[in-house]
Amino acid sequence: MEGIFEIRRKDRDSLVLLNLIDDLEYRVYSNMGPAAFRRLRKGGFVHVRLVPICPVPGAWLVSGSMSAYRKSGAAQIAQAALAVATKQPELVCRNPEKIEQAWTLMREDRAAFVEFFGDDELVLPPGEAEERLSAYYRHRQEAALARQPGQRRLRNLPGMDAPAFEFPPELADAGTIGMIYAETGGLNFYNEYGMLRACSPTRLSRPASSTPTCCAGTSVDNGRTWTSTIENGDARARR
């Protein structure tokens, strides 16, 4: 297992690391002994690959080299961890609590989506879909910031200082895009959905999933909703 960790504690012969991807703690040893951890500082960060020590439950061994980072680099480390979680959300799902948190966040986001748009299913031209989605996430972000007035505002938040969405060609070049926020399937996008709706006299069946679309969560400020839905909502793959 490879990950980005915060150094929580240094014991006599081991480290206790917090995985920034799955939010679980790992007790780590080195076959070189405690000397391998001498340069590491509590509160700092380390990028390292770990392998389980099979006879000892909950114990892990460092495999290969370690890259250490100072505590002052926390913001950059957080961005790197977020990028990994976005590309590989299954890594977050190692933590059962995060799966339940993801369901809760998705339900909350779906309710806010329906309140904002008036429905959980929309058919729009790509340009208008991008604009309205940007407006929706701008609304969500502003509401989140309003709940934390003392927190420093980050620059270049999607939907505020920069566009929140830019559809890939297969969606941007379509005549219409269908946006469906299903109860269990999450927010999905479908190209030429207007044509499909015109051929169906009833509401189409919704995508289903046994896990949240993004098990790492669908909060509006982490970008994970966009990554997972574009991967799972490609209309060509669902035909």
Side-chain angles (χ1 to χ4, degrees):
M1 173 185 64
E2 185 174 357
I4 304 172
F5 302 84
E6 178 187 350
I7 303 169
R8 280 294 182 89
R9 190 169 71 250
K10 294 183 69 174
D11 292 337
R12 184 174 59 85
D13 59 350
S14 63
L15 294 177
V16 175
L17 302 178
L18 175 69
N19 191 326
L20 300 183
I21 308 300
D22 60 26
D23 203 30
L24 295 173
E25 287 190 346
Y26 295 81
R27 181 169 292 277
V28 178
Y29 299 84
S30 172
N31 57 6
M32 298 176 61
F37 305 138
R38 189 170 297 145
R39 65 189 179 92
L40 302 179
R41 296 290 180 265
K42 178 182 176 181
F45 304 91
V46 61
H47 178 209
V48 63
R49 182 183 296 274
L50 305 177
V51 295
I53 303 176
C54 296
V56 184
W60 296 77
L61 186 69
V62 171
S63 175
S65 61
M66 296 182 292
S67 299
Y69 303 91
R70 297 177 182 272
K71 185 177 180 179
S72 58
Q76 291 77 15
I77 292 296
Q79 289 296 320
L82 174 59
V84 174
T86 300
K87 293 178 181 178
Q88 299 176 276
E90 68 277 3
L91 299 181
V92 185
C93 294
R94 288 193 296 245
N95 188 338
E97 292 183 3
K98 290 299 178 182
I99 297 177
E100 182 55 37
Q101 182 185 35
W103 280 112
T104 299
L105 290 171
M106 190 176 77
R107 286 191 290 266
E108 292 175 354
D109 192 57
R110 181 177 181 275
F113 183 95
V114 172
E115 180 181 3
F116 185 87
F117 289 104
D119 199 352
D120 64 354
E121 179 177 330
L122 296 95
V123 183
L124 298 168
E128 184 178 350
E130 288 181 344
E131 290 179 4
R132 295 190 65 181
L133 282 168
S134 295
Y136 167 65
Y137 281 109
R138 184 181 301 113
H139 166 75
R140 292 282 280 155
Q141 289 168 339
E142 289 173 346
L145 290 172
R147 291 193 295 269
Q148 303 177 26
Q151 184 172 333
R152 183 172 63 88
R153 184 180 182 277
L154 300 177
R155 299 180 61 187
N156 297 321
L157 283 174
M160 298 184 74
D161 300 317
F165 290 97
E166 183 176 345
F167 287 126
E170 61 268 25
L171 293 174
D173 296 339
T176 59
I177 290 177
M179 299 192 298
I180 299 178
Y181 210 138
E183 292 184 4
T184 57
L187 178 58
N188 293 268
F189 303 93
Y190 301 88
N191 57 4
E192 303 299 352
Y193 190 72
M195 184 185 304
L196 195 61
R197 279 290 302 273
C199 298
S200 175
T202 60
R203 203 173 177 88
L204 299 172
S205 60
R206 303 305 181 83
S209 174
S210 58
T211 58
T213 302
C214 176
C215 68
T218 54
S219 55
V220 300
D221 60 349
N222 61 16
R224 298 173 189 168
T225 298
W226 171 246
T227 299
S228 61
T229 51
I230 283 300
E231 292 173 352
N232 299 334
D234 186 341
R236 295 173 302 170
R238 290 182 176 272
R239 286 178 180 168

